[in-house]
Amino acid sequence: MRRKVVKKVLSVEQAEGRGARVRRSIGRKELRRLDPFLMLDEFRVRPPAGFPDHPHRGFETVTYILKGGVKHEDFCGHQGVISKGDLQWMTAGRGVVHSEMPATDGENVGLQLWVNLPKAEKLIEPAYQELLATEIPSTAQDGTSVKGKLWQSRRLIAGESMGIQSPVRTHTPVYYLDFEQQPGARLIQEVPQSWNAFLYVLSGMIKIQSEDEEEDVESEAHHTLVLGDGDSVQVTNMGPDKAHFVLIAGQPIGEPVAQYGPFVMNTQEEINEAITDYNLQQNGFENAHGWRSAAQK
Ligand code: CO
């Protein structure tokens, strides 16, 4: 059964970080969370704005660059630049402190997704998976190109699209697909039945077609379209220009969520512990002692 749109929300631009602008999809007040997803931001940043030194605990951040780049640096010495088309999947686990700053003098644009971790994995060691644009599997078919990033856990089945798979391995089973469609192109993408799924439109005008034509929903850019039950989604580019959108789906974790900014745990007590650990630089935050990113010096 084709999934229909059950909620459509516009991401109005807001301030975030230090002087940066974001359009928040998941995570805004009309769409607080969509298990296992905690947040999706379409960020737009140029120097001197950015996201200087800040911590994370209890989840994963996935950064995908659409234009320009982001220079990142963490308290363990891990650093580099993620450029257009590149992907960084960071498992914050028990703790990461890092900075994320614009890599070019112009406009730097990307998406950052926060994927929750189940209780048993919230305090694992931090880890990174980085894929250059050229390493992300992509394929084109019938006027529709799908660029990689489909990520599935090794515990999972085919998180595939058009027969390709991403080398990224996720703790929480997730699909993340970036679609570009020529005008008039139509695609049908399988999405596991029990997963939560949504589309975020970056540009163009698309239509989500369900079983009943009266329930079809059209959408322009900067909208989030939450999908209802079903095992696939059908999307058609209705506009005169190329359409660009991402489809993100994941297996719900089904646990309570306690969140305080960049700390996401199961209970308020664990949040208090996270704040204490960060302030006292312990239990995963030891390296924060005396550390400042180059961007902050
Ligand atoms: Co961060």
Side-chain angles (χ1 to χ4, degrees):
M1 188 178 80
R2 299 267 187 268
R3 289 176 179 244
K4 66 180 181 188
V5 175
V6 293
K7 192 166 191 177
K8 178 181 175 183
V9 178
L10 172 65
S11 293
V12 181
E13 206 171 61
Q14 65 189 71
E16 187 64 28
R18 190 181 69 198
R21 307 292 293 174
V22 305
R23 288 181 183 272
R24 183 154 294 168
S25 157
I26 305 295
R28 59 184 308 106
K29 64 181 189 304
E30 306 95 318
L31 198 51
R32 196 71 189 91
R33 294 186 188 100
L34 189 68
D35 190 9
F37 306 110
L38 303 162
M39 195 194 82
L40 175 68
D41 275 354
E42 176 186 358
F43 63 84
R44 200 164 290 272
V45 57
R46 62 168 78 219
F51 306 94
D53 307 5
H54 61 276
H56 293 281
R57 172 181 276 184
F59 61 101
E60 304 185 282
T61 69
V62 184
T63 308
Y64 179 54
I65 306 298
L66 300 169
K67 182 180 178 186
V70 165
K71 188 175 186 308
H72 63 91
E73 186 184 346
D74 83 2
F75 69 168
C76 291
H78 184 93
Q79 58 179 300
V81 172
I82 334 166
S83 298
K84 183 182 172 179
D86 297 346
L87 171 82
Q88 181 194 63
W89 195 293
M90 181 183 87
T91 304
R94 62 206 300 253
V96 163
V97 181
H98 71 167
S99 68
E100 299 160 286
M101 302 299 287
T104 76
D105 290 337
E107 196 174 51
N108 301 274
V109 183
L111 294 173
Q112 186 166 89
L113 176 71
W114 289 11
V115 185
N116 205 2
L117 285 168
K119 185 176 182 61
E121 295 180 305
K122 281 190 173 296
L123 298 179
I124 57 178
E125 286 298 314
Y128 290 89
Q129 298 177 77
E130 279 160 8
L131 283 191
L132 296 175
T134 51
E135 298 170 318
I136 295 180
S138 66
T139 186
Q141 186 184 57
D142 298 333
T144 299
S145 82
V146 49
K147 261 196 99 187
K149 316 106 283 13
L150 36 160
W151 313 314
Q152 44 196 334
S153 147
R154 64 187 87 99
R155 287 167 290 174
L156 243 260
I157 40 117
E160 313 178 343
S161 180
M162 298 175 185
I164 55 171
Q165 283 189 357
S166 169
V168 170
R169 292 293 170 262
T170 68
H171 293 272
T172 302
V174 163
Y175 282 12
Y176 189 158
L177 303 163
D178 174 8
F179 290 99
E180 288 184 43
Q181 277 188 311
Q182 298 304 314
R186 169 179 302 182
L187 72 88
I188 296 171
Q189 170 64 43
E190 308 293 320
V191 181
Q193 186 94 37
S194 59
W195 290 14
N196 286 326
F198 69 100
L199 300 175
Y200 182 72
V201 187
L202 292 158
S203 66
M205 163 70 84
I206 59 169
K207 179 157 82 176
I208 315 304
Q209 287 157 303
S210 52
E211 302 288 329
D212 180 352
E213 209 173 288
E214 288 182 7
E215 294 182 320
D216 289 356
V217 171
E218 289 197 6
S219 179
E220 296 175 306
H222 312 303
H223 285 83
T224 301
L225 306 164
V226 179
L227 303 174
D229 291 341
D231 55 14
S232 64
V233 57
Q234 179 171 325
V235 187
T236 302
N237 180 354
M238 305 300 288
D241 304 312
K242 188 181 77 175
H244 189 189
F245 59 93
V246 292
L247 165 64
I248 298 176
Q251 187 176 67
I253 292 172
E255 294 177 0
V257 175
Q259 179 170 3
Y260 177 73
F263 304 128
V264 183
M265 304 301 291
N266 296 107
T267 66
Q268 184 57 43
E269 194 183 349
E270 291 165 343
I271 289 293
N272 296 342
E273 284 168 13
I275 294 168
T276 300
D277 287 346
Y278 177 58
N279 287 335
L280 298 182
Q281 301 174 338
Q282 63 187 17
N283 297 324
F285 289 110
E286 288 83 353
N287 288 314
H289 186 71
W291 180 82
R292 286 192 107 185
S293 68
Q296 285 278 86
K297 279 173 186 158

